[in-house]
Amino acid sequence: MAKDPKSGEAGGMPGTPDPALVGKLAIANRILYAQGVVDGFGHASVRHDKSPEHFLLARNMAPALVRREDIVTFDLDGTALDAGGRRVYLERFIHGEIYRARPDVQAIVHSHSPSVIPFGVTSQPLRPVFHMSGFLGSGTAHFDIRDVAGDTDMLISNATLGVALADALGERSCVLMRGHGSTVVGSSLEQVIYRAIYAEVNARLQLNAIGLGDVTYLNEGEAAKAAATNDTQVGRVWELWSKQVGPID
Amino acid sequence: MAKDPKSGEAGGMPGTPDPALVGKLAIANRILYAQGVVDGFGHASVRHDKSPEHFLLARNMAPALVRREDIVTFDLDGTALDAGGRRVYLERFIHGEIYRARPDVQAIVHSHSPSVIPFGVTSQPLRPVFHMSGFLGSGTAHFDIRDVAGDTDMLISNATLGVALADALGERSCVLMRGHGSTVVGSSLEQVIYRAIYAEVNARLQLNAIGLGDVTYLNEGEAAKAAATNDTQVGRVWELWSKQVGPID
Amino acid sequence: MAKDPKSGEAGGMPGTPDPALVGKLAIANRILYAQGVVDGFGHASVRHDKSPEHFLLARNMAPALVRREDIVTFDLDGTALDAGGRRVYLERFIHGEIYRARPDVQAIVHSHSPSVIPFGVTSQPLRPVFHMSGFLGSGTAHFDIRDVAGDTDMLISNATLGVALADALGERSCVLMRGHGSTVVGSSLEQVIYRAIYAEVNARLQLNAIGLGDVTYLNEGEAAKAAATNDTQVGRVWELWSKQVGPID
Amino acid sequence: MAKDPKSGEAGGMPGTPDPALVGKLAIANRILYAQGVVDGFGHASVRHDKSPEHFLLARNMAPALVRREDIVTFDLDGTALDAGGRRVYLERFIHGEIYRARPDVQAIVHSHSPSVIPFGVTSQPLRPVFHMSGFLGSGTAHFDIRDVAGDTDMLISNATLGVALADALGERSCVLMRGHGSTVVGSSLEQVIYRAIYAEVNARLQLNAIGLGDVTYLNEGEAAKAAATNDTQVGRVWELWSKQVGPID
């Protein structure tokens, strides 16, 4: 198993991740594709169940094709521990640095979810149009890579940029990335998939509502209460979505 | 069979519902999914054929997966008579209180139908853009839960809220629920499915038409006449839609 | 075989239509569904190959389900000659009266094609955004049933209304029907299917273009030349569309 | 094998193209259909691997149906060398004249990609909304056939018009064609398919973003850097897209 020297020895190799979690991450990738959140790009990760200093993420590939064996373990520096020479995502630093900054976060989705992107390039936050997106709270965070690094290829391709993105995210659940996409965080894989899907749905609703007139969004109290209730219902949609993607191997 | 103490003894247990009606309700759930009216959330109910004081509704699950055996009998207080320990929808009170307030209503759909939601958050009623949605009459009712209950999780999660929603609906066929979704009623399961689908279609048309200029809607006379004619044609689309969802067991 | 007394004896029974034409009409119905021009409603007809005083049209049913045996022969008064007791479309008068008024027309599609409807309710004509819709010429005709018949159920449910619609159509290829849908005519079944599909495509393009700024449409000369060229290419898409709908029996 | 006299003898017959390239071109056609860039119209070509003076393009047919045996070799004048009497595309001159003017171009897609067309008729350039469309650089070129040829059928149906289009394209990657569609060029078949797809995606994003307010596009530096990075990731989506279209024979 290839060990990248950058990983150092301090962290060491965590134990083998729970096979059920690995399978669930493969399914999560496919759900994101089936629901139109990702196309050939974008990725989902989950924190390692045996080590908070590691996370699981597919090798560099289209999410729709991910199988169990494509899941790689990374440390928070974004160093792959068992890639075995396979290419990894250029933007694994999104995951590592958010897991480092946000101990409450257990799972992350980065995507170019299409309805969300127009908000990121016009500096309009996403705000919760309906109860399903109560997790948006009082609105999304905004990140412009140009502010921290000048002209780039827009990607979070190193740890410094990952830290800047995590800073912009702060305590929110979603950060819009100007000219790029968005990143959503959650306290479980099921929850973050739910959030990534309903961020996209909310964006589409918000685009249409803005065209009709002044919009009454959920206020902070409503958003918090709705989010709490929805968390009790996530299993219902996970059952549907995972059935729809079929067997992963 | 689990009996919730809240159901009291007054209503008693109605007879076994007509198996054909139970099957039709399962099909109705799947049609709503296939036609994009519901996603993993939303529900359809029908009044019990042997007791106007009861209604049939699936247990808490994604509509696309409903089978005959998932259909539960409720009384108008929203108490499940034969859930057998299975979870039920938090918002069953939508159904119970509307059946109580509207003896003419035989079937109800509650959904987060996407094109409809922007209207509910901008206080614009849906109005009939074409004859297929003549049932919208002179426009939809509007309900804002904040007016009656302050900051909530937006859900109709008890009888008091159900009564308030039924009040807002009044004698109309559709009520928009701010920050949540909408509820459509009808005199049969086939009719309410038709209405839920064409409320969504009409909303999409109305969104686009508003972008083009001043819209000439059907007037009240036209709407009433069109609705009466369409009621004679519902069988045609029910045949199509039910064939498309295939076998339910 | 049921003979409607209204059909009289003057016209008489035409010969059996060409089986290939009957099959093509069934395919045409299914193409319209597959391409999103019709849903459970709408219909396509073709003039009888052995009698210009008759036309072929399915019995009252969803277009997506039409088979050869569902095709009925009508005279221009809208009287079914061989319905055998089966229900027929309420709006067969659209077809009969346009065939009577326009000897050049060999095939007709009536639909509620969704992107087209917003134009009909705002009195904006469809105009050719690109060469594929050159058949729109200098724009579509407009028909408001209220102008000729006051408050109705919006349907062309008798010969008088059919005549009024044919008058509004004039020499154009498409007439928008306020609060209802549209009707497209052509010189062959392949051509009218092409036109019905590209009227819908054009409407979507036009909706989006209007949102961007002043639109340069094809002028009349361009439209006429483009339409003539496209007529030589219709076989290409008919091959694709008919393959996609698969066998009809 | 039919030899068109216009092809002359100077160019002569190039060698047989690489079968892998022929297969890839068939797949490319089907990807464009599956991804909504082409419908029954539009075409993709690739420069001949054994002769820069020739290119490969399907015979006149719907892209979704192209098989290996439908690929024909053309010289830069647009003369088919091995069509064997089969019809060829009216607009093959788009390909020939751009290959002549742009030695760097190895593959070309011409389409009526729907979200792009509204830009061409309002003279708004496409500009890169996100990193995936960095190849759009500082914006698309614009071509109005009326400026060079008066009223036409809008098609690039001869070499003179092909030259005019190539002039309008200049050194850019995409030219919008007023009232018609667009043409995208690339340095490989994989890259041009990627570009054609993301030109369409970008157009949809840009339409929505313009509706929200002032848009911050990628600047030229960002666009160039993003384009360079994306070129290293094209294999990932090509794998996905080619798997999805399945076997081509």
Side-chain angles (χ1 to χ4, degrees):
Chain A
M1 226 162 261
K3 190 85 183 284
D4 187 309
K6 282 195 299 179
S7 73
E9 293 301 309
M13 188 74 182
T16 305
D18 179 2
L21 189 64
V22 172
K24 199 185 278 183
L25 182 54
I27 291 169
N29 273 275
R30 296 181 179 219
I31 290 173
L32 290 174
Y33 180 76
Q35 296 291 321
V37 171
V38 301
D39 54 6
F41 298 93
H43 20 86
S45 72
V46 66
R47 204 186 281 267
H48 197 294
D49 60 297
K50 299 210 176 61
S51 163
E53 302 296 315
H54 293 86
F55 63 95
L56 309 177
L57 177 69
R59 65 178 175 87
N60 187 323
M61 67 185 301
L65 304 177
V66 170
R67 296 157 306 169
R68 290 167 197 273
E69 67 207 60
D70 299 309
I71 304 296
V72 176
T73 299
F74 292 84
D75 66 22
L76 300 189
D77 295 328
T79 304
L81 303 190
D82 52 2
R86 295 173 293 178
R87 289 176 74 183
V88 294
Y89 289 125
L90 300 174
E91 300 198 283
R92 57 202 183 273
F93 307 98
I94 293 173
H95 303 268
E97 296 306 330
I98 290 176
Y99 285 123
R100 198 190 312 272
R102 288 278 299 271
D104 60 309
V105 168
Q106 299 299 323
I108 298 172
V109 171
H110 168 64
S111 79
H112 312 149
S113 169
S115 305
V116 175
I117 287 179
F119 290 87
V121 297
T122 51
S123 301
Q124 285 225 34
L126 286 187
R127 294 182 60 193
V129 172
F130 72 156
H131 64 306
M132 302 302 289
S133 40
F135 64 89
L136 294 174
S138 59
T140 48
H142 190 263
F143 176 72
D144 190 337
I145 196 171
R146 207 189 283 168
D147 295 340
V148 298
D151 289 358
T152 64
D153 64 4
M154 312 303 289
L155 300 185
I156 305 298
S157 53
N158 62 48
T160 306
L161 291 168
V163 169
L165 179 68
D167 279 354
L169 172 65
E171 294 306 311
R172 298 183 190 256
S173 62
C174 177
V175 57
L176 307 184
M177 303 157 78
R178 195 270 303 164
H180 182 171
S182 55
T183 298
V184 178
V185 302
S187 62
S188 71
L189 204 41
E190 288 90 337
Q191 194 201 54
V192 84
I193 297 301
Y194 169 96
R195 288 178 170 186
I197 291 169
Y198 281 102
E200 170 67 14
V201 170
N202 191 86
R204 217 155 38 216
L205 297 176
Q206 194 170 342
L207 276 165
N208 284 332
I210 287 170
L212 282 181
D214 286 337
V215 181
T216 303
Y217 298 101
L218 267 60
N219 64 30
E220 280 200 58
E222 290 171 332
K225 290 181 178 183
T229 297
N230 290 334
D231 281 346
T232 69
Q233 307 293 313
V234 169
R236 191 201 309 184
V237 276
W238 182 266
E239 183 196 4
L240 174 66
W241 294 331
S242 53
K243 278 196 184 178
Q244 289 174 330
V245 298
I248 52 171
D249 290 308
Chain B
M1 225 164 263
K3 190 84 184 282
D4 186 311
K6 281 195 299 180
S7 73
E9 292 301 311
M13 188 72 183
T16 305
D18 178 1
L21 188 64
V22 173
K24 199 184 280 185
L25 182 55
I27 291 170
N29 273 276
R30 296 183 178 218
I31 290 173
L32 290 174
Y33 180 75
Q35 296 290 321
V37 171
V38 300
D39 54 5
F41 298 93
H43 21 86
S45 72
V46 66
R47 203 185 282 265
H48 196 295
D49 59 296
K50 298 208 177 63
S51 161
E53 301 298 314
H54 293 86
F55 63 94
L56 309 178
L57 177 69
R59 64 177 177 89
N60 187 323
M61 67 184 301
L65 303 178
V66 171
R67 296 156 306 168
R68 290 168 196 273
E69 67 208 58
D70 299 310
I71 304 297
V72 176
T73 299
F74 292 84
D75 65 22
L76 300 188
D77 294 328
T79 304
L81 303 190
D82 53 0
R86 294 172 293 177
R87 289 175 74 184
V88 294
Y89 290 125
L90 299 174
E91 300 197 282
R92 57 202 183 275
F93 307 99
I94 293 172
H95 303 268
E97 297 305 331
I98 290 177
Y99 285 123
R100 198 190 313 271
R102 287 278 299 270
D104 60 309
V105 168
Q106 299 299 323
I108 298 172
V109 171
H110 169 64
S111 80
H112 312 149
S113 170
S115 305
V116 174
I117 287 177
F119 290 88
V121 297
T122 51
S123 301
Q124 285 225 31
L126 286 186
R127 294 181 60 191
V129 172
F130 71 156
H131 64 306
M132 302 302 289
S133 40
F135 64 89
L136 294 173
S138 59
T140 48
H142 189 264
F143 175 73
D144 189 338
I145 195 170
R146 206 189 284 169
D147 296 339
V148 298
D151 289 358
T152 64
D153 65 5
M154 312 303 289
L155 300 185
I156 305 298
S157 53
N158 62 48
T160 306
L161 291 168
V163 168
L165 179 68
D167 280 353
L169 172 65
E171 294 306 310
R172 297 184 190 255
S173 62
C174 177
V175 57
L176 308 184
M177 303 157 78
R178 195 270 304 165
H180 181 170
S182 55
T183 298
V184 178
V185 302
S187 62
S188 72
L189 204 41
E190 289 90 337
Q191 194 201 55
V192 84
I193 297 301
Y194 169 96
R195 287 178 170 186
I197 290 169
Y198 281 101
E200 170 67 14
V201 170
N202 192 84
R204 217 154 40 217
L205 296 176
Q206 194 170 343
L207 277 164
N208 284 332
I210 287 171
L212 283 181
D214 286 338
V215 181
T216 303
Y217 296 101
L218 266 60
N219 64 29
E220 280 200 57
E222 289 171 334
K225 289 181 178 182
T229 298
N230 290 333
D231 282 345
T232 69
Q233 307 292 313
V234 169
R236 192 202 308 184
V237 276
W238 182 267
E239 182 196 4
L240 175 66
W241 293 331
S242 53
K243 278 196 183 177
Q244 289 175 329
V245 298
I248 52 171
D249 292 306
Chain C
M1 224 164 266
K3 192 86 185 283
D4 187 309
K6 281 195 300 180
S7 72
E9 292 301 310
M13 188 73 181
T16 305
D18 178 1
L21 188 65
V22 172
K24 198 185 278 182
L25 182 56
I27 290 169
N29 272 276
R30 296 180 178 220
I31 289 173
L32 290 174
Y33 180 76
Q35 296 290 320
V37 172
V38 300
D39 53 6
F41 297 93
H43 20 86
S45 72
V46 66
R47 203 186 282 266
H48 196 295
D49 60 296
K50 298 209 177 65
S51 161
E53 301 297 315
H54 293 87
F55 63 93
L56 309 177
L57 177 70
R59 64 177 175 86
N60 187 323
M61 68 185 299
L65 304 177
V66 171
R67 296 156 305 167
R68 290 169 196 272
E69 67 207 60
D70 299 310
I71 304 297
V72 176
T73 299
F74 292 84
D75 65 24
L76 299 189
D77 294 328
T79 303
L81 302 191
D82 52 1
R86 295 173 292 178
R87 288 176 75 184
V88 294
Y89 290 125
L90 300 174
E91 300 198 282
R92 56 201 184 276
F93 306 98
I94 293 173
H95 303 268
E97 296 306 330
I98 290 177
Y99 285 123
R100 197 190 313 271
R102 288 277 299 270
D104 61 309
V105 168
Q106 298 299 322
I108 298 172
V109 171
H110 169 65
S111 79
H112 312 149
S113 170
S115 305
V116 175
I117 287 178
F119 289 87
V121 297
T122 52
S123 301
Q124 284 225 33
L126 287 186
R127 293 181 60 191
V129 173
F130 72 156
H131 63 305
M132 302 302 289
S133 40
F135 64 88
L136 294 174
S138 59
T140 47
H142 189 264
F143 175 73
D144 189 336
I145 195 170
R146 206 188 285 169
D147 295 340
V148 298
D151 289 359
T152 64
D153 64 5
M154 311 303 288
L155 300 186
I156 305 298
S157 53
N158 61 48
T160 306
L161 290 168
V163 168
L165 179 68
D167 280 353
L169 172 65
E171 294 306 310
R172 297 184 190 256
S173 62
C174 178
V175 57
L176 308 184
M177 302 157 79
R178 195 270 304 165
H180 181 171
S182 55
T183 299
V184 178
V185 301
S187 62
S188 71
L189 204 41
E190 288 90 338
Q191 194 201 54
V192 83
I193 297 301
Y194 169 96
R195 288 179 170 185
I197 291 169
Y198 281 101
E200 170 68 15
V201 170
N202 191 86
R204 217 154 39 217
L205 297 176
Q206 193 170 343
L207 276 164
N208 284 332
I210 287 170
L212 283 180
D214 287 336
V215 181
T216 304
Y217 297 101
L218 266 61
N219 64 29
E220 280 199 58
E222 290 172 333
K225 289 181 178 181
T229 298
N230 290 334
D231 281 346
T232 69
Q233 307 293 313
V234 169
R236 192 200 309 183
V237 276
W238 183 266
E239 182 195 4
L240 175 66
W241 294 332
S242 52
K243 277 195 184 177
Q244 289 174 330
V245 297
I248 52 170
D249 292 306
Chain D
M1 228 163 261
K3 193 83 184 285
D4 186 308
K6 282 196 299 180
S7 73
E9 292 301 309
M13 188 73 182
T16 305
D18 179 1
L21 188 65
V22 172
K24 198 184 278 183
L25 181 55
I27 290 169
N29 272 276
R30 295 181 179 219
I31 290 173
L32 290 174
Y33 180 76
Q35 296 290 321
V37 172
V38 300
D39 53 6
F41 298 93
H43 21 86
S45 72
V46 66
R47 203 186 281 266
H48 196 294
D49 61 296
K50 297 208 176 65
S51 162
E53 302 296 314
H54 293 87
F55 63 94
L56 308 177
L57 178 70
R59 65 177 175 88
N60 186 323
M61 67 185 301
L65 304 177
V66 171
R67 296 157 305 168
R68 291 168 196 272
E69 67 207 60
D70 299 309
I71 304 296
V72 176
T73 300
F74 292 83
D75 65 23
L76 300 189
D77 294 329
T79 304
L81 303 190
D82 52 1
R86 294 173 293 178
R87 288 175 75 183
V88 294
Y89 289 125
L90 300 174
E91 300 198 282
R92 57 201 183 275
F93 307 98
I94 293 173
H95 303 268
E97 296 306 330
I98 290 176
Y99 285 124
R100 197 190 313 272
R102 287 279 298 271
D104 61 310
V105 169
Q106 298 300 322
I108 298 172
V109 171
H110 168 65
S111 80
H112 312 149
S113 169
S115 305
V116 175
I117 287 178
F119 290 87
V121 297
T122 51
S123 302
Q124 285 224 33
L126 286 186
R127 294 182 61 191
V129 172
F130 73 155
H131 64 306
M132 303 302 289
S133 40
F135 64 89
L136 293 174
S138 59
T140 47
H142 189 264
F143 175 73
D144 190 337
I145 196 171
R146 206 189 285 169
D147 295 340
V148 299
D151 289 359
T152 64
D153 64 4
M154 311 303 289
L155 300 185
I156 305 298
S157 53
N158 62 49
T160 305
L161 290 167
V163 169
L165 179 68
D167 279 353
L169 172 64
E171 294 306 310
R172 296 184 191 256
S173 63
C174 177
V175 56
L176 308 184
M177 303 156 78
R178 195 271 303 165
H180 181 172
S182 55
T183 299
V184 178
V185 302
S187 62
S188 71
L189 204 41
E190 288 90 339
Q191 194 202 54
V192 84
I193 297 301
Y194 170 97
R195 288 179 170 186
I197 291 169
Y198 280 102
E200 170 67 16
V201 170
N202 191 85
R204 217 154 39 216
L205 297 175
Q206 194 170 342
L207 276 164
N208 284 332
I210 286 171
L212 282 181
D214 285 336
V215 182
T216 304
Y217 297 101
L218 267 60
N219 65 28
E220 280 198 57
E222 290 172 333
K225 289 180 179 183
T229 297
N230 290 334
D231 282 345
T232 69
Q233 306 293 314
V234 169
R236 191 201 308 183
V237 276
W238 182 267
E239 182 196 3
L240 175 66
W241 294 331
S242 52
K243 278 196 182 175
Q244 289 175 329
V245 298
I248 52 171
D249 291 308

